[in-house]
């Protein structure tokens, strides 16, 4: 150790170092307060930790518009055996949801009006139906149904006349004198009906209604009234969740008071997000508390004193303070999952405390300064390797994982600084006799070393057996990078969502089709060509439904064709038609004038989307932005059953792309899983090079081999237990290296005096296993994978690290 550094770590500078540490703590606290008062917050949005996918600007815009349209939407179903009861329940719920949120009363001022938690609360949109009628009536000469078009193409206008006569004499007909003077063959009403999406929902009293067929012959049908709403704020915002939950509870209570037999089902991201938030909060509190209690028990068991316990709490607290403030300063927020992963910092930062006090137990006559000087190189190398490991995690494309890297790395730096600066003063009191605990540790190490076979043939057999085990495990190992594993959804929430999706014929999925073209005409032509394929996909049960602009925005060529075909009516046979229908011949001139005036009056994207009729369709159309030249249209899909088979249906259409953000992100996760495993190998290589300067090539290779073999054994166990390999397993293996290499490092550094090291490694491993072992029981699959891998990896490292003493006996003293 350099003389200057030795002087800094001497007893003479203890008070100065304590003052520096207290100053750092004060500055960190002040920075944290400024950050949180300046708007920093805890982020619970699971989407915020997803990787960024490289897409074309048009595709990125399309994904943003689809997310904006679908985000924060909820769907409610009110089910009753009485149709009117279901309708009344839906009306009551909509009325209550439109009321201002009661949670805003404390924050509201004279200048801030209270707002409802939801917007766009509706069932059947009657206003849009009226707007559609007003818009399309002005374009009636450009519209024909398929049946009307075929009859006119064959010159069979008489059949259209006969159909109009039947409508005139139908008691329930929508025909009236005003409509007849503008549309004598009543072609327009059928075109308006054709605009309605094909679904098994009816509309009564302005409410969408679905009849649920009975499951048994002796049962009566039930009725489900559907209500839709959109959260004013993000469903992943905890405050918004509480406001929306409060509004829903008020609405549901009102419905139940009105009719206690009403069954309420619900679906939407809100309910998944609430479950995830509650689960994460529960796990943060339980894992953190149990881990802390475990650390307390370990410290008391080893040292039988409250002082090490106090110092351990100071170390953990300062570590968390540095972690939270640094992460918040870098990212402006703290992800909830970062805190879940970060609870494991308790089991890592406490290692410094364990190594310090175990070294003091092993050398009771040494002062605190001398103990720190003895372990300085080891803990410095340990910090360096841990930071390398966390840096590798930070290279993953997940903001959440990047936060975990910064959180844990800065937390360990905080613990390291606490040991160097505060321990000489705060932890200077001598310990009670700890020979019993040290003897236990020494006996355990002796037992482990006795398990090593003596003969070379037996050792070779052990090596071959280990290789066979690893090979078998690797042959069973499979990968699964589906991002849906990021979030656990309770069975009851999923069951309600599945039931509502069935009622809505599949609802709307995250996957959608993007149709692109150089012009508006090309896009509408592509949409027209796509429509038959989509209808066939519905018939083949590949999808439940779809929503395309092709129905509302016919291609210009189709509109021109429809206009010319109607010339058969208005230019050639109008006299005969009026006579057959018994209409006044005087309206002929006005009809011809209207027909001629409509020439070139095409339905265009601009005219439709800027009209009230097309307001809800705006998210489905992409006009060129600055620097762009192309157009695009989005086709929403619902009830997808076979995504791969559906994708193949559109392979022959070069301007149609199936956008699957879930699949794209999963692909990116698989890519970074491979990169992360490569980084693990690179980290092992870098650590080996660094350790070579300290221990020589042979011993450095052994030190690195311990976490490397632990990683291989862990992967083999995952394969044999049929746990699919994910990015989170790979990230956890990085930490197995970062934490586990410390164990072999301390054994290599201590040479033959390993009693204190064995005890410190035992306590460190137990605290780490406790923290990560609890993560392995998390209900969130991603956290479960992270914890399980660390539990296995650290367990193997703990079992293997004592065997380094076999090699240190033969190593050269390189002090």
């Amino acid at each position: 150790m350099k003389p200057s550094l030795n002087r800094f770590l001497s007893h003479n500078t203890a008070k100065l170092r304590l003052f520096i540490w207290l100053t750092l703590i004060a500055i960190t606290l002040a920075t944290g307060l400024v950050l949180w008062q300046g708007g920093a917050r805890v982020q619970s949005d699971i989407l915020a930790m997803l990787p960024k996918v490289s897409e074309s600007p048009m595709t990125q815009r399309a994904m943003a518009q689809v997310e904006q349209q679908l985000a924060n939407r909820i769907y409610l179903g009110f089910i009753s055996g009485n149709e009117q009861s279901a309708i009344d329940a839906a009306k009551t719920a909509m009325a209550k949801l439109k009321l201002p949120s009661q949670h805003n009363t404390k924050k509201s001022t004279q200048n801030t009006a209270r707002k409802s938690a939801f917007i766009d609360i509706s069932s059947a949109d009657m206003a849009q139906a009226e707007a559609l009628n007003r818009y399309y009536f002005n374009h009636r000469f450009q519209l024909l149904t398929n049946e009307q078009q075929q009859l006119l193409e064959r010159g069979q206008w008489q059949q259209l006349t006969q159909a109009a006569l039947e409508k005139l004499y139908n008691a329930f007909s929508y025909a009236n004198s005003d409509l007849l003077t503008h549309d004598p063959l009543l072609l327009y009403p059928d075109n308006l009906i054709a605009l309605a999406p094909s679904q098994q929902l009816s509309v009564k009293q302005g409410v969408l209604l679905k009849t649920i067929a009975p499951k048994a012959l002796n049962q009566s049908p039930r009725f489900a009234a559907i209500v839709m709403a959109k959260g004013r704020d993000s469903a992943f915002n905890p405050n918004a969740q509480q406001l929306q939950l409060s509004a829903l509870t008020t609405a549901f209570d009102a419905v139940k008071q009105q009719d206690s037999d009403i069954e309420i089902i619900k679906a939407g991201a809100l309910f998944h997000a609430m479950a995830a938030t509650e689960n994460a909060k529960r796990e943060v509190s339980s894992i953190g508390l149990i881990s802390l209690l475990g650390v307390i028990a370990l410290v008391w068991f080893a040292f039988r004193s409250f002082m090490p316990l106090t110092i351990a709490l100071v170390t953990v607290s300062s570590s968390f303070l540095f972690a939270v403030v640094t992460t918040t300063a870098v990212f402006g927020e703290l992800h909830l999952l970062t805190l879940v992963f970060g609870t494991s910092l308790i089991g890592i930062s406490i290692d410094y405390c364990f190594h310090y006090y175990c070294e003091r137990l092993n050398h009771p006559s040494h002062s605190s300064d001398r103990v720190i000087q003895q372990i300085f190189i080891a803990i410095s190398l340990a910090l360096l390797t841990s930071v390398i490991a966390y840096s590798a995690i930070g290279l993953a494309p997940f903001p959440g994982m990047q936060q975990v890297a910064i959180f844990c790395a800065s937390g360990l730096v905080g613990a390291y600084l606490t040991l160097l600066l505060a321990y000489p003063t705060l932890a200077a009191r001598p310990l009670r006799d700890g020979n019993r605990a040290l003897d236990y540790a020494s006996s355990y190490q002796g037992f482990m070393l006795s398990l090593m076979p003596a003969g070379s043939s037996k050792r070779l057999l052990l090596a071959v057996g280990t290789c066979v085990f690893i090979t078998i495990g690797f042959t069973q190992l499979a990968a699964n990078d589906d991002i849906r594993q990021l979030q656990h959804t309770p069975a009851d929430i999923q069951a309600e969502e599945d039931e509502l999706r069935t009622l809505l014929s599949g609802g709307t999925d995250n996957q959608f089709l993007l149709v692109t073209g150089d012009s508006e005409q090309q896009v509408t032509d592509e949409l027209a060509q796509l429509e038959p394929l989509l209808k066939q996909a519905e018939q083949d049960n590949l999808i439940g439904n779809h929503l395309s602009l092709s129905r509302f925005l016919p291609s210009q060529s189709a509109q021109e064709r429809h206009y010319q075909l109607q010339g058969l009516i208005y230019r050639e046979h109008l006299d005969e038609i009026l006579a057959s229908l018994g209409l006044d011949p005087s309206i002929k001139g006005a009809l011809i004038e209207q027909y001629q005036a409509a020439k070139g009056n095409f339905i265009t994207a601009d005219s439709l989307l800027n009209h009230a009729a097309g307001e809800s369709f705006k998210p489905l159309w992409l006009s060129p932005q600055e620097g762009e030249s192309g157009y695009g249209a989005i086709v929403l899909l619902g009830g997808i059953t076979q995504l791969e088979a559906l994708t193949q249906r559109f392979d022959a259409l070069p301007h149609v792309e199936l956008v699957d953000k879930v699949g794209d992100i999963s692909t990116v996760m698989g890519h970074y899983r491979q990169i992360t495993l490569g980084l693990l190998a690179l980290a092992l290589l870098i650590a080996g090079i660094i350790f070579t300067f300290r221990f020589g090539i042979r011993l450095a290779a052994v030190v690195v081999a311990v976490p490397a073999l632990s990683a291989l054994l862990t992967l083999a166990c995952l394969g044999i237990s049929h746990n699919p390999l994910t990015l989170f397993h790979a990230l956890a293996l990085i930490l197995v290296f970062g934490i586990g290499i410390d164990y072999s490092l301390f054994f290599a550094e201590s040479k033959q005096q390993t009693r204190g090291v064995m005890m410190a490694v035992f306590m460190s491993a137990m605290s780490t296993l406790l923290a990560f072992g609890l993560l392995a029981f998390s209900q969130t699959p991603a956290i479960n994978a992270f914890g399980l891998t660390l539990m296995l990896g650290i367990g193997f490292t703990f079992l293997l690290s004592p065997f380094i003493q076999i090699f240190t006996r033969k190593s050269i003293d390189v002090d």
Side-chain angles (χ1 to χ4, degrees), residues 44-120:
S44 65
D45 186 350
I46 194 72
L47 301 177
M49 70 174 293
L50 294 181
K52 308 304 178 187
V53 181
S54 177
E55 300 283 3
S56 67
M58 182 71 77
T59 305
Q60 289 178 356
R61 283 179 56 202
M63 288 193 295
Q65 290 192 187
V66 170
E67 288 175 5
Q68 185 178 10
Q69 184 179 23
L70 300 181
N72 309 324
R73 285 203 170 274
I74 64 165
Y75 301 86
L76 307 175
F78 300 91
I79 303 175
S80 174
N82 181 278
E83 182 179 87
Q84 189 59 47
S85 295
I87 293 173
D88 291 341
K91 289 181 176 180
T92 299
M94 286 190 287
K96 290 296 182 181
L97 291 177
K98 290 176 182 177
L99 295 176
S101 173
Q102 296 302 312
H103 274 62
N104 281 345
T105 52
K106 293 182 180 179
K107 297 181 181 180
S108 62
T109 64
Q110 294 178 350
N111 298 324
T112 305
R114 290 188 290 129
K115 299 178 179 179
S116 60
F118 293 96
I119 57 175
D120 296 340

Side-chain angles (χ1 to χ4, degrees), residues 730-770:
L731 292 172
L733 286 175
I734 292 284
L735 288 192
V736 168
F737 157 72
I739 300 170
I741 206 168
D742 292 355
Y743 303 164
S744 53
L745 177 63
F746 273 95
F747 273 110
E749 187 69 34
S750 65
K751 305 295 186 295
Q752 294 302 304
Q753 300 178 10
T754 57
R755 277 202 323 166
V757 172
M758 187 69 251
M759 182 178 173
V761 167
F762 168 79
M763 295 185 68
S764 172
M766 290 305 103
S767 62
T768 304
L769 286 172
L770 180 63

Side-chain angles (χ1 to χ4, degrees), residues 303-319:
F303 307 116
R304 304 286 178 172
S305 171
F306 283 108
M307 181 50 66
L309 185 59
T310 304
I311 297 300
L313 291 176
V314 169
T315 304
V316 171
S317 300
S318 59
S319 175

